[in-house]
């Protein structure tokens, strides 16, 4: 059982959230079921902008989830869950404009949205000191978006204290009902219009590779080096909107 409170503040945004969670084991602790809920309430006070003027507004998010984790074998774990969200209030970017009816006008999204998703994950240990993780997520909302996400992760020990990781993720979705590449009138579609490309048809790929080194296993007798860990991570992302990125991350850990 757990109850948590979260607070985030920015110059134009105050977010607060209260979360409750309960879990219980079954079948001789081979099955764990977790039920969670949260309620978030945000106060939005957009700063003055030269071409987009949005008044103060609010947003609330009511969330539920149920997650089951089952140990299928000493080397196999399966997790599945469902999530449901009801969002009300300001849900578009108050600073973003849309080209509609031959002019620039502030975008406008519906004030209510129901979001649903279901997922399943498999964690499998392999005999050659490696592990494989597979996952799939199905998402749907009442704005008309349905998406699919498939991911995989392979970890492999090279030697004691050194392991590598390979990742791949594929994502695809259709567009929201009110999304159009161009709007012939300022009314958009049923009064709604968006400049967010994430509301349109989208497919993307993410490839990744990482190397992690724990010097405590490589030089256990050295007082300084044995406290260090090093990781290098590279990711390549691209999507159908002609956007691509190379992401490189490095981290050095020092244990006191």
């Amino acid at each position: 059982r757990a109850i948590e409170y979260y607070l985030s503040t920015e110059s134009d945004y105050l977010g607060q959230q209260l979360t409750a969670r309960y879990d219980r084991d079954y079948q001789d602790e081979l099955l764990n079921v977790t039920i969670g809920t949260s309620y978030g309430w945000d106060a939005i006070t957009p700063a003055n902008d030269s071409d987009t003027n949005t008044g103060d507004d609010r947003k609330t998010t009511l969330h539920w989830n149920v997650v089951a984790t089952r140990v299928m074998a000493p080397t196999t774990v399966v997790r599945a869950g469902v999530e449901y969200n009801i969002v009300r209030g300001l849900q578009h970017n108050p600073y973003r404009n849309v080209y509609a009816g031959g002019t620039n006008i502030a975008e406008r999204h519906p004030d209510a949205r129901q979001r649903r998703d279901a997922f399943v994950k498999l964690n499998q240990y392999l005999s050659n000191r490696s592990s494989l993780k597979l996952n799939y997520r199905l998402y749907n909302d009442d704005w008309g978006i349905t998406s699919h996400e498939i991911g995989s992760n392979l970890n492999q020990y090279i030697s004691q204290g050194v392991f590598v990781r390979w990742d791949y993720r594929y994502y695809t979705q259709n567009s929201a009902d009110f999304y159009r590449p161009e709007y012939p009138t300022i009314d958009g579609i049923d009064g709604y219009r968006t400049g967010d490309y994430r509301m349109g048809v989208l497919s993307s790929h993410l490839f990744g590779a990482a190397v992690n080194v724990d010097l405590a296993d490589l030089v256990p007798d050295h007082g300084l080096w044995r406290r260090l860990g090093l990781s290098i991570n590279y990711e390549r992302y691209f999507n159908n909107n002609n956007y691509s990125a190379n992401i490189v991350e490095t981290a050095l850990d020092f244990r006191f």
Side-chain angles (χ1 to χ4, degrees):
R1 301 177 181 89
I3 297 178
E4 301 174 353
Y5 170 74
Y6 170 83
L7 172 67
S8 175
T9 181
E10 300 178 24
S11 59
D12 57 356
Y13 206 99
L14 175 64
Q16 300 179 80
Q17 180 174 286
L18 190 63
T19 302
R21 184 176 66 254
Y22 173 81
D23 69 274
R24 184 172 179 179
D25 292 327
Y26 300 91
Q27 301 178 5
D28 296 327
E29 299 185 349
L30 294 177
L31 173 65
N32 177 269
V33 177
T34 301
I35 300 174
T37 186
S38 67
Y39 180 74
W41 62 102
D42 305 334
I44 306 165
T45 55
N48 292 329
D49 188 82
S50 60
D51 56 1
T52 302
N53 297 306
T54 301
D56 295 354
D57 212 323
R58 301 183 65 83
K59 184 178 74 172
T60 62
T61 304
L62 182 59
H63 167 85
W64 294 277
N65 69 75
V66 178
V67 180
T69 304
R70 179 68 160 86
V71 178
M72 308 301 294
T75 58
T76 307
V77 177
V78 175
R79 175 173 293 175
V82 293
E83 299 177 327
Y84 182 67
N85 296 274
I86 299 177
V87 188
R88 300 186 185 279
L90 181 66
Q91 299 183 57
H92 58 261
N93 187 329
Y95 305 114
R96 183 161 49 213
N97 285 336
V98 182
Y99 187 75
T103 187
N104 288 315
I105 188 170
E107 73 173 5
R108 180 169 180 253
H109 292 179
D111 292 333
R113 188 179 191 182
Q114 296 184 36
R115 311 181 70 173
R116 307 163 282 263
D117 71 84
F119 66 88
V120 61
K121 299 181 179 181
L122 169 67
N123 293 356
Q124 177 67 53
Y125 176 77
L126 305 175
S127 59
N128 59 343
R129 300 191 69 200
S130 65
S131 64
L132 177 65
K133 297 180 180 180
L134 301 174
N135 62 81
Y136 168 75
R137 182 181 296 270
L138 171 65
Y139 169 88
N140 173 262
D141 63 34
D142 60 355
W143 287 6
I145 295 178
T146 298
S147 71
H148 305 269
E149 182 180 88
I150 300 173
S152 62
N153 174 287
L154 178 63
N155 292 275
Q156 174 69 63
Y157 268 99
I158 302 301
S159 65
Q160 188 67 23
V162 180
F163 72 90
V164 295
R165 188 186 76 244
W166 294 273
D167 301 289
Y168 173 71
R169 187 185 70 210
Y170 173 70
Y171 177 86
T172 182
Q173 72 171 48
N174 63 340
S175 64
D177 295 334
F178 57 89
Y179 174 85
R180 296 292 186 276
E182 296 182 4
Y183 295 96
T185 70
I186 62 173
D187 293 330
I189 304 298
D190 297 327
Y192 305 118
R193 52 197 177 265
T194 181
D196 188 350
Y197 76 92
R198 294 171 299 180
M199 294 289 106
V201 173
L202 179 65
S203 63
S204 66
H205 299 268
L206 176 70
F207 297 89
V211 178
N212 294 267
V213 180
D214 189 346
L215 295 180
D217 292 317
L218 299 180
V219 285
D221 298 327
H222 195 289
L224 175 62
W225 291 103
R226 67 188 304 271
R227 297 177 179 271
L228 296 177
L230 175 66
S231 64
I232 302 175
N233 182 61
Y234 169 75
E235 292 180 336
R236 170 66 176 175
Y237 172 86
F238 57 93
N239 63 31
N240 63 311
N241 289 316
N242 294 321
Y243 175 81
S244 62
N246 294 299
I247 305 166
V248 179
E249 296 179 320
T250 60
L252 182 66
D253 299 325
F254 182 79
R255 293 179 292 271
F256 293 96

